[in-house]
PDB file of all heavy atoms in Angstrom:
ATOM      1  N   LYS B  42     -29.772 249.957  21.892  1.00  0.00           N
ATOM      2  CA  LYS B  42     -30.180 248.600  21.527  1.00  0.00           C
ATOM      3  C   LYS B  42     -29.424 247.554  22.455  1.00  0.00           C
ATOM      4  O   LYS B  42     -30.039 246.609  22.926  1.00  0.00           O
ATOM      5  CB  LYS B  42     -29.844 248.292  20.139  1.00  0.00           C
ATOM      6  CG  LYS B  42     -30.367 247.025  19.553  1.00  0.00           C
ATOM      7  CD  LYS B  42     -30.053 246.922  17.925  1.00  0.00           C
ATOM      8  CE  LYS B  42     -30.358 245.516  17.515  1.00  0.00           C
ATOM      9  NZ  LYS B  42     -29.871 245.368  16.087  1.00  0.00           N
ATOM     10  N   TYR B  43     -28.130 247.800  22.658  1.00  0.00           N
ATOM     11  CA  TYR B  43     -27.331 246.852  23.402  1.00  0.00           C
ATOM     12  C   TYR B  43     -27.218 247.301  24.856  1.00  0.00           C
ATOM     13  O   TYR B  43     -26.380 246.731  25.664  1.00  0.00           O
ATOM     14  CB  TYR B  43     -26.020 246.602  22.825  1.00  0.00           C
ATOM     15  CG  TYR B  43     -26.080 246.096  21.407  1.00  0.00           C
ATOM     16  CD1 TYR B  43     -25.775 246.876  20.272  1.00  0.00           C
ATOM     17  CD2 TYR B  43     -26.640 244.835  21.089  1.00  0.00           C
ATOM     18  CE1 TYR B  43     -25.963 246.410  19.011  1.00  0.00           C
ATOM     19  CE2 TYR B  43     -26.915 244.318  19.820  1.00  0.00           C
ATOM     20  CZ  TYR B  43     -26.465 245.129  18.811  1.00  0.00           C
ATOM     21  OH  TYR B  43     -26.657 244.692  17.509  1.00  0.00           O
ATOM     22  N   LYS B  44     -27.940 248.385  25.334  1.00  0.00           N
ATOM     23  CA  LYS B  44     -27.878 248.906  26.654  1.00  0.00           C
ATOM     24  C   LYS B  44     -26.449 249.141  27.130  1.00  0.00           C
ATOM     25  O   LYS B  44     -26.072 248.615  28.177  1.00  0.00           O
ATOM     26  CB  LYS B  44     -28.633 247.960  27.580  1.00  0.00           C
ATOM     27  CG  LYS B  44     -30.107 247.854  27.190  1.00  0.00           C
ATOM     28  CD  LYS B  44     -31.032 247.269  28.183  1.00  0.00           C
ATOM     29  CE  LYS B  44     -32.453 247.354  27.827  1.00  0.00           C
ATOM     30  NZ  LYS B  44     -32.733 246.831  26.535  1.00  0.00           N
ATOM     31  N   ILE B  45     -25.694 249.924  26.376  1.00  0.00           N
ATOM     32  CA  ILE B  45     -24.316 250.261  26.756  1.00  0.00           C
ATOM     33  C   ILE B  45     -24.258 251.785  26.962  1.00  0.00           C
ATOM     34  O   ILE B  45     -24.309 252.556  26.014  1.00  0.00           O
ATOM     35  CB  ILE B  45     -23.296 249.790  25.672  1.00  0.00           C
ATOM     36  CG1 ILE B  45     -23.404 248.331  25.400  1.00  0.00           C
ATOM     37  CG2 ILE B  45     -21.892 250.166  26.076  1.00  0.00           C
ATOM     38  CD1 ILE B  45     -22.706 247.843  24.156  1.00  0.00           C
ATOM     39  N   SER B  46     -24.169 252.189  28.272  1.00  0.00           N
ATOM     40  CA  SER B  46     -24.259 253.656  28.560  1.00  0.00           C
ATOM     41  C   SER B  46     -22.958 254.384  28.282  1.00  0.00           C
ATOM     42  O   SER B  46     -21.830 253.776  28.407  1.00  0.00           O
ATOM     43  CB  SER B  46     -24.801 253.903  29.954  1.00  0.00           C
ATOM     44  OG  SER B  46     -24.190 253.059  30.882  1.00  0.00           O
ATOM     45  N   PRO B  47     -22.996 255.658  27.926  1.00  0.00           N
ATOM     46  CA  PRO B  47     -21.883 256.400  27.378  1.00  0.00           C
ATOM     47  C   PRO B  47     -20.414 256.226  27.840  1.00  0.00           C
ATOM     48  O   PRO B  47     -19.597 256.101  26.976  1.00  0.00           O
ATOM     49  CB  PRO B  47     -22.288 257.899  27.647  1.00  0.00           C
ATOM     50  CG  PRO B  47     -23.751 257.878  27.403  1.00  0.00           C
ATOM     51  CD  PRO B  47     -24.174 256.529  27.947  1.00  0.00           C
ATOM     52  N   PRO B  48     -20.086 256.147  29.149  1.00  0.00           N
ATOM     53  CA  PRO B  48     -18.580 256.064  29.342  1.00  0.00           C
ATOM     54  C   PRO B  48     -18.079 254.723  28.725  1.00  0.00           C
ATOM     55  O   PRO B  48     -16.964 254.717  28.250  1.00  0.00           O
ATOM     56  CB  PRO B  48     -18.463 256.007  30.831  1.00  0.00           C
ATOM     57  CG  PRO B  48     -19.782 256.514  31.399  1.00  0.00           C
ATOM     58  CD  PRO B  48     -20.751 256.186  30.387  1.00  0.00           C
ATOM     59  N   GLU B  49     -18.819 253.655  28.756  1.00  0.00           N
ATOM     60  CA  GLU B  49     -18.421 252.392  28.258  1.00  0.00           C
ATOM     61  C   GLU B  49     -18.294 252.391  26.667  1.00  0.00           C
ATOM     62  O   GLU B  49     -19.092 253.006  25.948  1.00  0.00           O
ATOM     63  CB  GLU B  49     -19.397 251.295  28.581  1.00  0.00           C
ATOM     64  CG  GLU B  49     -19.396 250.924  29.991  1.00  0.00           C
ATOM     65  CD  GLU B  49     -18.073 250.315  30.456  1.00  0.00           C
ATOM     66  OE1 GLU B  49     -17.556 249.510  29.796  1.00  0.00           O
ATOM     67  OE2 GLU B  49     -17.600 250.752  31.516  1.00  0.00           O
ATOM     68  N   THR B  50     -17.277 251.726  26.054  1.00  0.00           N
ATOM     69  CA  THR B  50     -17.125 251.598  24.753  1.00  0.00           C
ATOM     70  C   THR B  50     -17.050 250.120  24.241  1.00  0.00           C
ATOM     71  O   THR B  50     -16.757 249.813  23.096  1.00  0.00           O
ATOM     72  CB  THR B  50     -15.866 252.344  24.139  1.00  0.00           C
ATOM     73  OG1 THR B  50     -14.787 251.824  24.834  1.00  0.00           O
ATOM     74  CG2 THR B  50     -15.965 253.778  24.477  1.00  0.00           C
ATOM     75  N   THR B  51     -17.271 249.231  25.246  1.00  0.00           N
ATOM     76  CA  THR B  51     -17.246 247.819  24.783  1.00  0.00           C
ATOM     77  C   THR B  51     -18.534 247.162  25.457  1.00  0.00           C
ATOM     78  O   THR B  51     -19.222 247.745  26.126  1.00  0.00           O
ATOM     79  CB  THR B  51     -15.988 247.118  25.485  1.00  0.00           C
ATOM     80  OG1 THR B  51     -15.954 247.440  26.785  1.00  0.00           O
ATOM     81  CG2 THR B  51     -14.702 247.520  24.734  1.00  0.00           C
ATOM     82  N   GLY B  52     -18.744 245.868  25.063  1.00  0.00           N
ATOM     83  CA  GLY B  52     -19.773 245.080  25.651  1.00  0.00           C
ATOM     84  C   GLY B  52     -20.515 244.176  24.687  1.00  0.00           C
ATOM     85  O   GLY B  52     -21.163 243.215  25.068  1.00  0.00           O
ATOM     86  N   HIS B  53     -20.486 244.548  23.421  1.00  0.00           N
ATOM     87  CA  HIS B  53     -21.154 243.735  22.368  1.00  0.00           C
ATOM     88  C   HIS B  53     -20.404 243.809  21.099  1.00  0.00           C
ATOM     89  O   HIS B  53     -20.134 244.987  20.661  1.00  0.00           O
ATOM     90  CB  HIS B  53     -22.623 244.116  22.213  1.00  0.00           C
ATOM     91  CG  HIS B  53     -23.431 243.190  21.366  1.00  0.00           C
ATOM     92  ND1 HIS B  53     -23.351 243.033  20.042  1.00  0.00           N
ATOM     93  CD2 HIS B  53     -24.336 242.164  21.766  1.00  0.00           C
ATOM     94  CE1 HIS B  53     -24.168 242.122  19.560  1.00  0.00           C
ATOM     95  NE2 HIS B  53     -24.777 241.546  20.644  1.00  0.00           N
TER      96      HIS B  53
END
Side-chain angles (χ1 to χ4, degrees):
Chain B
K42 192 175 167 188
Y43 302 109
K44 301 198 168 53
I45 300 165
S46 47
E49 289 299 315
T50 59
T51 51
H53 191 284

